[in-house]
Amino acid sequence: MVKHYRESREVQFYADILNFTPKYLSKAVRTATNGITPGEWIEQYITTQAKRLIDARATQTLQETAYMLGFSEPTSFYRYFKRVTGMTAKQYRDRKNNSE
């Protein structure tokens, strides 16, 4: 996962890399993480990486962050971040900057 997270956010992609079926991967991940699905785990990992990049690179644009994370379009990243976190990437960055 860590090596390929910029390439895909699809469970099937990771199952293929591991030569598992998606069903087997789901069962293994759920067992190892106390019920978290592979999709949820992928979302958590990518969101953590996004926040890390936003926090560490104050001069970097959110568009650059989107490309660094493997999103082909910044708008896809913006929607993804909002769906997963409940706030926009800009709100996250501004909130982080205002608390310092």
Side-chain angles (χ1 to χ4, degrees), residues 62-63 66 73-83 88-89:
L62 294 174
Q63 181 179 9
E73 294 294 327
T75 54
S76 298
F77 168 67
Y78 304 151
R79 283 191 303 268
Y80 184 88
F81 193 92
K82 170 92 179 194
R83 180 178 57 79
T88 67

Side-chain angles (χ1 to χ4, degrees), residues 2 6 11-12 33 37 40-41 43 64 66 90-91 97:
V2 174
R6 289 181 180 99
V11 174
Q12 181 69 54
T33 61
T37 68
E40 291 167 335
W41 194 86
E43 281 184 349
E64 290 169 320
K90 183 177 180 330
Q91 288 171 327
N97 289 338

